[in-house]
């Protein structure tokens, strides 16, 4: 198929960006979206032009690196997939595809389609962990009884890959689905209850410090999340936060 690509180009964080049109031809419907971008970049390099910078790593929907806003949707028109899992069969011959970086104050553009998502890392550092005795006297995890419901819910929350699609999709650029998932995966397990109060307070405080917006229950984050993280995690985080502040 032959396509017209409208791509955001920005040479660095301080530069003024703009949309630039490109033509790509003979694109197979079996290609992934990133493979199509590879074809474009090979053409640009062969012509002596600067290739389009974009994030990618595993290309298996696991790492959360690929982050493109495609035709107005985070990760594109398919559901339950990341950009690297999006295939060109979702488009038609002659289509015009608009490709932008994730837009949020807390995700500043570094170059072209690459954004700085280190704000997520700082939120994780604020409380997304448990403190474990590693002196040799650790308790065998299999000896800690956990209900099937709690284990399943915690695992569902832990599938969050931190890609930032929730933020890019939200009209308020809220990170509450991400933070809710990270709080939930520990709050549901006995190992995470010990530091639960400090965790939710510190992670929410860091989220606010990073400049993310608040949640107004639109639900776009859950729809666009490639891992289907549920809004229930935001509700759980709110309960944890309220409880922590009452106890405090």
């Amino acid at each position: 198929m032959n396509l017209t690509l409208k791509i955001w180009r920005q040479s660095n964080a301080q530069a003024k960006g703009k949309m630039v049109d490109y033509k790509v031809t003979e694109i197979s419907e079996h290609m992934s979206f990133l493979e199509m971008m590879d074809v474009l970049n090979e053409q640009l390099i062969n012509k002596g032009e600067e290739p389009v910078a974009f994030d990618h790593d595993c290309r298996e929907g696991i790492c959360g690196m690929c982050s493109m806003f495609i035709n107005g949707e985070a990760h594109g028109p398919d559901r339950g997939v990341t950009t690297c899992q999006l295939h060109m069969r979702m488009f038609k011959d002659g289509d015009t595809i608009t490709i932008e970086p994730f837009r949020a104050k807390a995700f500043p553009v570094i170059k072209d389609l690459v954004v700085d998502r280190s704000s997520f890392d700082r939120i994780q550092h604020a409380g997304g962990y448990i403190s474990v005795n590693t002196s040799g006297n650790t308790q065998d995890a299999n000896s800690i009884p956990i209900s099937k419901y709690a284990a399943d819910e915690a695992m569902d929350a832990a599938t969050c890959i931190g890609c930032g699609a929730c933020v890019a999709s939200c009209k308020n650029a809220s990170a509450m689905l991400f933070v809710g998932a990270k709080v939930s995966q520990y709050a549901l397990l006995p190992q995470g209850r010990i530091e639960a109060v400090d965790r939710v307070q510190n992670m929410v405080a860091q989220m606010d410090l990073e400049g993310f917006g608040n949640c107004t229950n639109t639900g776009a984050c859950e729809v666009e999340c490639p891992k289907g993280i549920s809004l229930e995690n935001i509700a759980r985080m709110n309960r944890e936060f309220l409880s922590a502040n009452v106890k405090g």
Side-chain angles (χ1 to χ4, degrees):
M1 65 180 81
N2 300 327
L3 303 165
T4 299
L5 308 178
K6 292 181 176 292
I7 302 178
W8 181 262
R9 301 304 307 264
Q10 184 174 335
S11 58
N12 56 61
Q14 289 74 41
K16 184 177 181 180
K18 63 179 181 179
M19 301 298 293
V20 179
D21 290 2
Y22 298 99
K23 301 284 187 181
V24 287
T25 60
E26 299 181 3
I27 298 297
S28 168
E29 64 176 8
H30 303 298
M31 284 183 179
S32 72
F33 198 86
L34 295 191
E35 288 172 333
M36 182 275 294
M37 293 295 295
D38 290 337
V39 170
L40 170 65
N41 277 344
E42 185 175 359
Q43 293 177 3
L44 294 175
I45 291 169
N46 289 338
K47 291 191 293 185
E49 298 180 24
E50 182 77 13
V52 177
F54 61 91
D55 265 335
H56 62 98
D57 191 1
C58 74
R59 298 201 178 200
E60 294 178 346
I62 299 170
C63 70
M65 287 294 291
C66 55
S67 52
M68 296 184 192
F69 210 67
I70 303 165
N71 284 351
E73 297 183 83
H75 296 304
D78 207 352
R79 289 292 173 266
V81 300
T82 55
T83 302
C84 63
Q85 296 173 302
L86 178 67
H87 281 79
M88 298 311 296
R89 55 180 169 266
M90 295 298 296
F91 304 94
K92 301 188 297 293
D93 183 40
D95 274 358
T96 295
I97 305 174
T98 302
I99 310 168
E100 302 172 84
F102 282 0
R103 304 285 191 183
K105 177 184 176 182
F107 288 169
V109 174
I110 297 173
K111 182 178 181 180
D112 295 339
L113 304 176
V114 180
V115 298
D116 180 358
R117 285 172 289 179
S118 59
S119 52
F120 270 13
D121 296 331
R122 291 187 289 272
I123 293 172
Q124 281 280 75
H125 295 165
Y129 55 84
I130 60 171
S131 299
V132 179
N133 180 359
T134 57
S135 65
N137 297 316
T138 54
Q139 184 176 1
D140 186 345
N142 291 325
S143 69
I144 304 173
I146 300 172
S147 71
K148 179 68 163 57
Y149 168 81
D152 287 347
E153 290 287 296
M155 182 60 73
D156 287 345
T159 59
C160 169
I161 57 176
C163 66
C166 51
V167 175
S169 303
C170 178
K171 62 185 179 183
N172 306 317
S174 172
M176 289 186 72
L177 191 68
F178 166 75
V179 181
K182 299 307 177 184
V183 167
S184 289
Q185 73 179 77
Y186 297 112
L188 287 158
L189 301 176
Q191 296 95 327
R193 295 310 310 169
I194 300 169
E195 298 165 297
V197 170
D198 288 341
R199 176 180 301 110
V200 70
Q201 288 179 328
N202 292 340
M203 293 184 78
V204 169
Q206 188 64 41
M207 174 182 69
D208 292 341
L209 187 63
E210 296 294 342
F212 290 104
N214 206 347
C215 173
T216 50
N217 295 312
T218 302
C221 54
E222 181 179 357
V223 172
E224 299 289 355
C225 175
K227 299 302 175 181
I229 302 297
S230 172
L231 289 174
E232 292 178 4
N233 291 291
I234 296 178
R236 184 178 294 107
M237 180 184 69
N238 286 335
R239 293 193 298 271
E240 289 285 322
F241 187 72
L242 177 60
S243 176
N245 282 287
V246 170
K247 290 177 180 177

